[in-house]
Amino acid sequence: MSTKVLFFIIYAILVSYLINYQHAMDQLPNGSVKLVNLPSSLSLFARSWGIYKILFSKLAYLSFLFILGLLINSSLTSFLTVTVGASSDIMKSAVAVLNTAIGIALTIYGAFIIAAIVFLVKSYLTGKEASIAQSMKFAQEHFLSLFWVGLVYLFVLYGGIFGIILSTLFSVWYYFCIYIVLVDEERGFAALAKSHYLVRGLFLRTIGRYTAMFVVILAIATLCYLTLAIPVIGWLLFVLLIAALFLFAFPYYMVYDYLRYEDLVAVERNVEFIQFKGEKAFLIAFAIAGFLLVGTSWLMNVLPTETQKSLQNSVRYGFATIALPIATEMQKNQEVISAFFLKLGVSPLPTSKPLPPIFDNQPSSQGEQFNYDQYYNSNY
C-alpha cells in the first residue's frame, strides 16, 4: 500500500469519527445542565484556604516528599547528561533513554503523591479524618490507574495539537479525569468521557476559575523574580522563595483544583452520565495520533545524529511525494481559473511560477553535479 493511500485512509477514518462524534453530541437533550452560578473564584480561594490550614501539616509533608523526588530526579538526569559529555552518539542515546525512564518513574511517583493528597481532601470533605498512613494506602491502590488515565489524557491532547482550538477544548473537557479515576473509580477512556459530561454547559466558567488561580500564581512568581534585582543576595532569595512557593503552594493548588471538581459534581443535571456513542472511538483515534507524535518526537531526540538525519530525509521525501501531486493539481486549477477570467476580460493576479522538480540535479558552487539517492537519503 502506497504512502498516499495510507494517508487518505487515516484521514477518512478521523473525519468519520469526528462526524459520528458530533452527531452523538447533537443527540444530547437540551438543558442537560441547569444554568447555575458556580461559587465565585474568591469564594473558592477562601474555601481552599480553610481546608489548607486544617490539613497543612499533612499536605506540607506530602509536598516535601514530592519535591524530594523531584530533586533526586533532576540530580540523576543532570549527572548522567554531564557525565557523557562529548561521548559517542550511542552513549548519548543510551543516556537519553535512561533519562526518559527516570522521568517516567518521577511521573508515577507524582501520581502516587497526588492520589494521597486527593484522599486527604476528600476524607475531610466527607467528615472523616484520614492519616498519612491511610492516604498512602489509598495511593498505593490507585496511583497506577491515575498514571494510566493521565497518560491517555496527554496523548489525546497531543493528538489535537495540529488544531489549537482542539487542544484547548480537550484540555478543558477531559482535565477532570484525574479526579474521576480516584473518586468515582472510572477507568481509562470512561473517565475522560465523564469529565466531558461534567464540563458540558460550564466550559467558560471552568476556564475562568482556572484563569483566576493562574493569574495569582503568575503574580507571586513575578514578585519572586524581582528579588534578583537585589545586589549580592538576590539570587539566593530567589531560590529560597521559589522553593518555599513550590513547597507550600503546590498542596494549596491541589486543594483548590479538587474543589473545582467537587463544584462541578454538585451541579444539578437532568440526565445521568452516559458515554456518547462513538466517543470512545473518537478518543482512541486522537490518542493514537498523539502517541505517534510523542513517539516520533522522542525518537528524534534519542537516535544517533546520523540516524536522525536519515530519518528526517525519509520523512521529508514521503511528505513531498504526497504533497507535490496535490500542489501540482491546485496549480492546474489556478491556471484554468485564470484562463476563464481572461475570457471575461478580467486580468487576474499573476500566478506563481511552475513548481520545480523535487529531486532535480542541482549544480554545486564549484560547478559539480550531485545526484540525490532517495534510498540512502544523501547526495553522492
Side-chain angles (χ1 to χ4, degrees), residues 323-335 355:
L324 182 60
I326 298 174
T328 304
E329 192 64 29
M330 291 175 63
Q331 189 175 34
K332 290 180 180 178
N333 294 336
Q334 187 180 22
E335 292 171 355
L355 295 172

Side-chain angles (χ1 to χ4, degrees), residues 164-318:
I164 297 177
I165 296 177
L166 276 182
S167 291
T168 303
L169 290 175
F170 291 169
S171 65
V172 178
W173 284 354
Y174 304 123
Y175 174 77
F176 295 100
C177 64
I178 62 176
Y179 298 118
I180 291 170
V181 75
L182 296 175
V183 177
D184 292 350
E185 299 191 352
E186 297 283 358
R187 296 288 184 267
F189 292 103
L192 273 74
K194 187 161 188 180
S195 175
H196 186 195
Y197 162 78
L198 293 177
V199 174
R200 184 167 171 78
L202 300 168
F203 183 84
L204 294 179
R205 293 179 176 88
T206 303
I207 291 181
R209 302 173 111 213
Y210 172 78
T211 304
M213 172 59 79
F214 175 78
V215 169
V216 171
I217 293 176
L218 183 62
I220 296 175
T222 302
L223 291 176
C224 293
Y225 182 77
L226 292 177
T227 59
L228 291 173
I230 301 176
V232 184
I233 62 171
W235 66 271
L236 180 60
L237 285 176
F238 175 75
V239 171
L240 292 176
L241 286 174
I242 290 296
L245 176 64
F246 195 89
L247 177 63
F248 299 118
F250 170 67
Y252 178 78
Y253 172 80
M254 289 300 305
V255 174
Y256 179 93
D257 206 43
Y258 182 74
L259 289 181
R260 286 203 307 143
Y261 163 74
E262 285 286 343
D263 287 346
L264 288 175
V265 173
V267 172
E268 185 178 355
R269 292 171 172 82
N270 295 336
V271 294
E272 296 296 327
F273 164 66
I274 181 171
Q275 190 166 352
F276 299 123
K277 182 181 178 182
E279 183 171 22
K280 184 175 181 179
F282 170 83
L283 290 171
I284 290 175
F286 277 94
I288 292 174
F291 173 77
L292 293 176
L293 184 62
V294 172
T296 302
S297 176
W298 180 77
L299 281 175
M300 296 306 295
N301 291 322
V302 168
L303 292 175
T305 305
E306 292 300 323
T307 307
Q308 287 183 25
K309 292 180 179 179
S310 178
L311 182 60
Q312 287 174 352
N313 287 332
S314 297
V315 172
R316 289 168 183 167
Y317 176 77

Side-chain angles (χ1 to χ4, degrees), residues 29-279:
N30 291 327
S32 61
V33 177
K34 290 184 177 180
L35 293 180
V36 297
N37 289 322
L38 290 173
S40 67
S41 297
L42 289 177
S43 171
L44 186 56
F45 277 114
R47 289 158 54 207
S48 302
W49 178 250
I51 297 174
Y52 177 77
K53 287 191 300 182
I54 295 173
L55 302 176
F56 174 76
S57 58
K58 298 174 183 177
L59 293 174
Y61 175 74
L62 292 174
S63 181
F64 172 76
L65 291 180
F66 180 71
I67 292 178
L68 186 62
L70 184 63
L71 290 175
I72 293 173
N73 172 273
S74 301
S75 300
L76 284 175
T77 54
S78 299
F79 173 77
L80 290 172
T81 303
V82 172
T83 300
V84 296
S87 301
S88 63
D89 285 344
I90 296 178
M91 182 62 69
K92 290 180 179 179
S93 298
V95 169
V97 172
L98 187 57
N99 283 340
T100 302
I102 295 173
I104 293 174
L106 175 67
T107 305
I108 295 175
Y109 178 71
F112 182 90
I113 298 298
I114 290 174
I117 292 176
V118 168
F119 180 77
L120 285 176
V121 180
K122 172 191 169 185
S123 299
Y124 173 81
L125 292 175
T126 54
K128 302 175 183 177
E129 184 176 353
S131 63
I132 292 292
Q134 289 174 322
S135 66
M136 292 291 190
K137 182 179 179 181
F138 175 85
Q140 187 177 357
E141 296 171 352
H142 294 82
F143 76 99
L144 287 179
S145 297
L146 176 58
F147 171 74
W148 163 245
V149 79
L151 199 61
V152 172
Y153 172 68
L154 176 67
F155 287 149
V156 169
L157 282 185
Y158 272 98
I161 204 169
F162 294 107
I164 297 177
I165 296 177
L166 276 182
S167 291
T168 303
L169 290 175
F170 291 169
S171 65
V172 178
W173 284 354
Y174 304 123
Y175 174 77
F176 295 100
C177 64
I178 62 176
Y179 298 118
I180 291 170
V181 75
L182 296 175
V183 177
D184 292 350
E185 299 191 352
E186 297 283 358
R187 296 288 184 267
F189 292 103
L192 273 74
K194 187 161 188 180
S195 175
H196 186 195
Y197 162 78
L198 293 177
V199 174
R200 184 167 171 78
L202 300 168
F203 183 84
L204 294 179
R205 293 179 176 88
T206 303
I207 291 181
R209 302 173 111 213
Y210 172 78
T211 304
M213 172 59 79
F214 175 78
V215 169
V216 171
I217 293 176
L218 183 62
I220 296 175
T222 302
L223 291 176
C224 293
Y225 182 77
L226 292 177
T227 59
L228 291 173
I230 301 176
V232 184
I233 62 171
W235 66 271
L236 180 60
L237 285 176
F238 175 75
V239 171
L240 292 176
L241 286 174
I242 290 296
L245 176 64
F246 195 89
L247 177 63
F248 299 118
F250 170 67
Y252 178 78
Y253 172 80
M254 289 300 305
V255 174
Y256 179 93
D257 206 43
Y258 182 74
L259 289 181
R260 286 203 307 143
Y261 163 74
E262 285 286 343
D263 287 346
L264 288 175
V265 173
V267 172
E268 185 178 355
R269 292 171 172 82
N270 295 336
V271 294
E272 296 296 327
F273 164 66
I274 181 171
Q275 190 166 352
F276 299 123
K277 182 181 178 182
E279 183 171 22

Side-chain angles (χ1 to χ4, degrees), residues 360-371 379-380:
D360 193 15
N361 294 337
Q362 299 292 336
S364 67
S365 58
Q366 291 78 20
E368 300 176 357
Q369 295 288 332
F370 285 89
N371 294 319
N379 292 317
Y380 66 88

